[in-house]
Amino acid sequence: MPANMISKILEKSSVLPLVDDVIAPIHVKTAGGAPRTSVLRNPNMEKLQKGYLFPEISIKREAHLKKYPDAKVISLGIGDTTEPIPSVVTSAMAEYVLALSTPEGYQGYGPEQGQMNLRKVIAEEVYPDMGIQESEVFISDGAQCDIARLQTLFGPNVTIAVQDPTFPGYVDNGVIVGQTGSADEAGKYAGIAYMRCAPENHFFPDLSRVPRTDVIFFCSPNNPTGHAASAAQLRELVDFARRNGSIIVFDTAYAWYVSSSSEAAGDGDKTKPRSIYEVPGAREVAIEISSFSKFAGFTGVRLGWAVVPDELRYADGSPVARDFDRIVCTCFNGASSVAQAGGLACLSTEEGRDAVRRVVGVYKENARVLVDTFASLGKEVYGGTDSPYVWVRFPGRRSWDVFAEILDKTHVITVPGSGFGPGGEGFIRVSAFNSRDRVLEAAARLKKFLPGLSAVPL
């Protein structure tokens, strides 16, 4: 119908004001001339600070390559694995894929909670003697997605605590769902309790100074500091949660990097648990999330899991697992069945477990090289023993300035510590995820140019 006829009809209509309110915004243009709708933006999105950390680093990498088009950039930044996935794992996935081309082997949708055989092997192999049942294991497409689903589960009316520094996904998802106020000049959001984790307190917060919150996000081994909490520290954390009626979300994405020598330590308090459920009483207060990404090379394949024990209850006595199951079934159609076949191959046989341990060993040796490199330069170095991340302090420097100077002088990408929270200012995170040759080359470049980094007051 021609526009002039529509206008004449609307002029005669008694509902003209209502219609006009609905259609008028279609014709409104922004300052740049683009049309806009009448839909209001989620105000919580406006609270987010700049861009997400790792895309920001990618932008700076692209700018660096334009400035130095012939540079051979080595990335020790984003925690993306580089070693090939073991053939015992990819063969299992390939066999599963080929079976999908047969009437007997074809499968469509699977259970949203994951294939029961994989849930069972995770319960048995990852949580031996911890009382975890396969029904308490929820298979996912990775820990980061589980963080978002858990924040959806908790909703906007809970209070949260995070380590400082910490993986930014915990905070950003909390901001998006409305758990926080705005950020101050230091980058701290109102409504979040920041638990300082620094060399001075052995990377474990003074819980006597932490206010009571509903949810506590805790990562061990920690990203970015590389610190693995001791059994004594985790007992303190669990006791703190039990006294306060809080829920711990315990992220164990790097648990396979905890050194066996730590486990064999004579003093039980100094052992470094790979799971929160090694601590008595944790089942009543903790959810655990984990991932195949960093020990099996599944950063692109995408597979993880969450454990929500039956004993974990809300204040009204209802089970948290029941609501999480509802979130999973509503927001998720289940992890890829191909990825689950690969995950099963990682854990169900000694051949698979040995294969992924060898991959972890490559990255741990890379981390040792990086620790030795920075130590030889007289830097304060942390992590790198129970983690693929090395945490290096540059007193008196801003993290982004150190990042930029290292990139400019060595063509090596790191991660500025301030991207993980205010407590990361003055540090950089260096990742062991790269080939041995590239790590050795990066180490040589750092040894050549790093002594020239000047000390500039903050």
Side-chain angles (χ1 to χ4, degrees):
M1 184 180 293
N4 61 343
M5 292 183 66
I6 294 175
S7 297
K8 290 180 179 179
I9 293 171
L10 293 177
E11 286 172 5
K12 297 178 180 179
S13 172
S14 62
V15 295
L16 178 58
L18 177 60
V19 175
D20 188 56
D21 285 344
V22 173
I23 68 172
I26 297 175
H27 304 289
V28 176
K29 294 183 180 292
T30 63
R36 68 187 186 195
T37 71
S38 59
V39 178
L40 296 177
R41 185 186 185 198
N42 178 351
N44 296 317
M45 298 300 297
E46 299 177 15
K47 299 175 187 175
L48 292 171
Q49 300 178 77
K50 299 181 180 179
Y52 192 64
L53 174 61
F54 299 110
E56 286 287 306
I57 291 173
S58 296
I59 291 170
K60 292 184 182 297
R61 173 182 178 143
E62 292 305 312
H64 181 77
L65 287 172
K66 287 182 179 178
K67 183 179 179 181
Y68 302 103
D70 297 324
K72 295 181 178 179
V73 174
I74 297 175
S75 178
L76 302 181
I78 188 171
D80 191 4
T81 51
T82 55
E83 289 297 299
I85 297 172
S87 59
V88 64
V89 178
T90 54
S91 295
M93 289 191 286
E95 182 179 349
Y96 182 89
V97 168
L98 290 173
L100 293 175
S101 295
T102 68
E104 300 79 15
Y106 176 77
Q107 296 182 47
Y109 288 125
E112 290 91 346
Q113 303 86 351
Q115 300 289 350
M116 188 55 75
N117 54 357
L118 179 57
R119 298 169 75 187
K120 187 173 189 294
V121 78
I122 288 174
E124 292 174 349
E125 295 295 333
V126 180
Y127 303 102
D129 304 319
M130 297 181 212
I132 300 300
Q133 304 300 313
E134 56 262 35
S135 60
E136 299 171 318
V137 179
F138 295 79
I139 306 302
S140 72
D141 49 349
Q144 186 155 349
C145 298
D146 275 332
I147 293 167
R149 282 187 278 266
L150 285 168
Q151 290 287 45
T152 300
L153 171 76
F154 295 134
N157 298 320
V158 301
T159 54
I160 66 172
V162 299
Q163 292 161 288
D164 182 26
T166 194
F167 176 64
Y170 313 131
V171 171
D172 285 6
N173 277 292
V175 174
I176 290 169
V177 301
Q179 295 170 351
T180 77
S182 298
D184 61 19
E185 291 184 359
K188 290 185 176 182
Y189 286 95
I192 294 181
Y194 289 83
M195 303 184 295
R196 176 74 166 148
C197 296
E200 292 74 23
N201 63 5
H202 306 289
F203 296 103
F204 189 80
D206 180 357
L207 295 178
S208 68
R209 304 180 65 179
V210 175
R212 188 262 170 204
T213 61
D214 297 309
V215 181
I216 303 166
F217 286 94
F218 201 93
C219 180
S220 180
N222 178 262
N223 176 15
T225 68
H227 174 74
S230 69
Q233 289 173 333
L234 292 185
R235 279 201 302 274
E236 185 179 346
L237 179 66
V238 168
D239 289 345
F240 179 74
R242 290 174 67 89
R243 287 195 306 273
N244 288 320
S246 304
I247 294 176
I248 301 166
V249 176
F250 195 71
D251 187 341
T252 63
Y254 303 95
W256 282 62
Y257 289 81
V258 172
S259 300
S260 58
S261 59
S262 298
E263 298 173 332
D267 186 346
D269 283 349
K270 294 181 179 179
T271 61
K272 298 175 181 179
R274 290 180 172 172
S275 169
I276 193 71
Y277 302 122
E278 295 180 43
V279 178
R283 286 179 57 88
E284 290 82 16
V285 293
I287 294 169
E288 186 162 295
I289 58 175
S290 198
S291 170
F292 284 82
S293 290
K294 305 306 168 72
F295 75 85
F298 275 30
T299 50
V301 175
R302 307 307 306 149
L303 192 67
W305 70 88
V307 176
V308 187
D310 293 337
E311 293 94 326
L312 186 63
R313 303 281 166 150
Y314 290 114
D316 65 0
S318 62
V320 175
R322 184 175 65 193
D323 282 2
F324 187 65
D325 183 81
R326 184 69 170 86
I327 291 288
V328 167
C329 292
T330 300
C331 303
F332 188 47
N333 272 338
S336 161
S337 56
V338 178
Q340 292 187 71
L344 192 63
C346 290
L347 298 177
S348 60
T349 68
E350 194 59 39
E351 181 184 8
R353 293 189 291 272
D354 284 345
V356 295
R357 287 190 192 105
R358 285 193 294 271
V359 172
V360 169
V362 171
Y363 298 130
K364 291 191 63 151
E365 177 60 21
N366 287 350
R368 186 196 62 77
V369 169
L370 293 169
V371 168
D372 290 349
T373 297
F374 285 104
S376 72
L377 294 166
K379 303 299 179 185
E380 287 184 52
V381 191
Y382 305 95
T385 301
D386 300 301
S387 164
Y389 298 129
V390 178
W391 190 238
V392 189
R393 179 177 249 169
F394 288 81
R397 299 297 309 273
R398 293 193 181 278
S399 298
W400 277 106
D401 292 342
V402 175
F403 163 88
E405 193 168 349
I406 290 176
L407 179 58
D408 191 66
K409 290 184 177 181
T410 70
H411 308 305
V412 173
I413 293 175
T414 58
V415 181
S418 58
F420 299 96
E425 187 63 88
F427 292 83
I428 60 168
R429 192 196 76 177
V430 189
S431 168
F433 291 123
N434 215 316
S435 68
R436 180 64 44 77
D437 288 346
R438 286 179 174 269
V439 168
L440 291 172
E441 171 61 22
R445 295 183 194 178
L446 291 165
K447 287 180 179 179
K448 182 177 180 180
F449 293 105
L450 202 58
L453 280 178
S454 57
V456 180
L458 287 169

